[in-house]
Amino acid sequence: MTTSEIRTGVIGLGYFGSFHARQHAANPKGRLAAVVDADRARAEAVGAQYGAVALTDHRELIGKIDAVSITVPTSLHHAVAADFIDAGVHVLIEKPICDTAESARDLIARAEAKGVVLQIGHIERFSPVFGLLREKVRTPLTVECTRIGPWKGRAIDVDVVLDLMIHDIDLVLALVRSEVVAVEAMGSPVLAPTNDFALAQLRFANGTVAHLSASRIADRSERTIKVVEPGRYWSADLASRTVTSFPRGHAVLAHDEIAVPPSDNLALEIDSFLDSVAGLRRPVVDGKAGLDALLVADMIIQHIGQGKLTASSVLIGDSH
């Protein structure tokens, strides 16, 4: 299959799903054939905007598309994705992969059996800022990730660990490439029924320690990654698109700052997905990577809820 022959669809046209539809429609490597939403008026409006068929039942897409973006609530990820995978349709699922590890493993097995692409929407992997940081960092000793922002009232049914922190969990796993052997965490609900802020410490088998902070009730916005490695300190700002390095033991003024040109990370993610569908590359974030991030997120949530968690290993394989 060449990319120009790929018929695509988008299921779930809420806040983020509408962006998926826009990027699929704009990408010349595929053709947005249909969109789906339980709200018929919303589906018809988006379909009319991009010249796509509008539907309210995702099962009506089967046989009409080759690849699909699934942006429905996390609790529906398994049921919807399984229908398409079993039908031989390539799937891009928004993060997290599923609401349980068991469901995630089932989707991975189904995709392997059918030989279809299963990509997970960890969009920050496509940030050129993170790409530059990953290229430069060799031996991380400590990693500190901060992802905070003011209250928006969205996704309040989802724990902040699965809503925000999971982005940085995935980035840390990709950066460190080792096993998580211990987790400590704390957090609390404030305005929502689930945790609105969380702090976590991850210890890896290779000795790296990562500190993660996530909040959706902060008084400011920040998305940063700071890394200490032998001889150098790195600071990456995903929002302002800069990567700064300091030689350890030198004055703060002795630093190098690299400005990263603007990019649309979702456009890069969908472009990469279509290349994978065409057989041109492996998915950057495959099902196993999505499962790895979910397993660590579950450990963090359990530790917050129980106050303690028996150390458990999560194998981070070559998929990163």
Side-chain angles (χ1 to χ4, degrees):
M1 178 185 296
T2 63
T3 52
S4 61
E5 297 173 330
I6 300 172
R7 302 167 299 169
T8 65
V10 177
I11 303 170
L13 300 172
Y15 176 76
F16 211 59
S18 62
F19 297 148
H20 274 254
R22 182 176 67 190
Q23 295 300 340
H24 274 291
N27 195 305
K29 295 180 178 179
R31 175 175 61 86
L32 182 62
V35 294
V36 180
D37 196 273
D39 184 329
R40 182 177 295 277
R42 180 184 294 170
E44 289 178 348
V46 174
Q49 182 177 2
Y50 299 119
V53 174
L55 303 169
T56 57
D57 186 338
H58 73 272
R59 291 166 293 190
E60 295 181 45
L61 277 182
I62 294 175
K64 299 181 176 67
I65 59 170
D66 307 298
V68 65
S69 277
I70 297 175
T71 60
V72 298
T74 304
S75 61
L76 301 177
H77 281 189
H78 178 269
V80 175
D83 284 342
F84 286 96
I85 291 171
D86 291 348
V89 177
H90 304 281
V91 169
L92 167 59
I93 312 176
E94 261 308 320
K95 60 81 187 169
I97 179 173
C98 284
D99 53 358
T100 69
E102 180 182 6
S103 295
R105 290 189 180 99
D106 182 68
L107 289 186
I108 293 169
R110 288 172 186 256
E112 289 176 351
K114 282 292 184 177
V116 300
V117 171
L118 173 59
Q119 180 169 317
I120 315 306
H122 285 283
I123 190 171
E124 294 283 29
R125 285 279 205 106
F126 295 88
S127 164
V129 176
F130 176 72
L132 179 61
L133 184 68
R134 190 179 184 188
E135 176 187 326
K136 298 292 186 181
V137 171
R138 299 300 180 201
T139 312
L141 301 175
T142 65
V143 183
E144 178 184 346
C145 297
T146 302
R147 186 173 298 264
I148 61 175
W151 176 253
K152 295 181 179 179
R154 289 193 298 107
I156 61 174
D157 59 324
V158 179
D159 193 293
V160 71
V161 176
L162 292 175
D163 181 24
L164 298 181
M165 186 179 282
I166 197 164
H167 284 295
D168 293 319
I169 293 171
D170 176 66
L171 296 184
V172 168
L173 296 184
L175 196 63
V176 177
R177 298 175 64 90
S178 182
E179 299 172 15
V180 175
V181 295
V183 169
E184 293 182 10
M186 63 169 290
S188 177
V190 178
L191 299 177
T194 56
N195 292 315
D196 286 316
F197 74 89
L199 303 172
Q201 177 179 274
L202 309 180
R203 291 188 177 274
F204 290 83
N206 66 358
T208 303
V209 177
H211 301 272
L212 286 71
S213 174
S215 174
R216 53 193 178 196
I217 53 169
D219 60 358
R220 69 185 193 283
S221 295
E222 180 180 343
R223 290 186 293 137
T224 57
I225 305 175
K226 299 173 182 178
V227 182
V228 174
E229 64 175 346
R232 189 158 291 272
Y233 170 79
W234 297 89
S235 179
D237 191 317
L238 296 167
S240 66
R241 310 184 65 80
T242 58
V243 177
T244 306
S245 69
F246 304 85
R248 289 177 65 190
H250 290 68
V252 172
L253 293 178
H255 69 276
D256 297 314
E257 182 174 295
I258 305 170
V260 180
S263 67
D264 187 318
N265 297 343
L266 180 59
L268 295 173
E269 178 181 70
I270 288 176
D271 191 72
S272 178
F273 172 58
L274 294 176
D275 280 347
S276 296
V277 170
L280 301 179
R281 64 179 303 169
R282 292 180 60 190
V284 172
V285 188
D286 61 10
K288 185 183 182 303
L291 173 60
D292 286 341
L294 179 62
L295 287 170
V296 175
D298 284 346
M299 292 172 69
I300 292 169
I301 293 170
Q302 289 178 45
H303 196 284
I304 293 172
Q306 300 173 3
K308 63 179 181 179
L309 183 67
T310 301
S312 174
S313 292
V314 180
L315 180 62
I316 308 306
D318 291 339
S319 60
H320 302 290

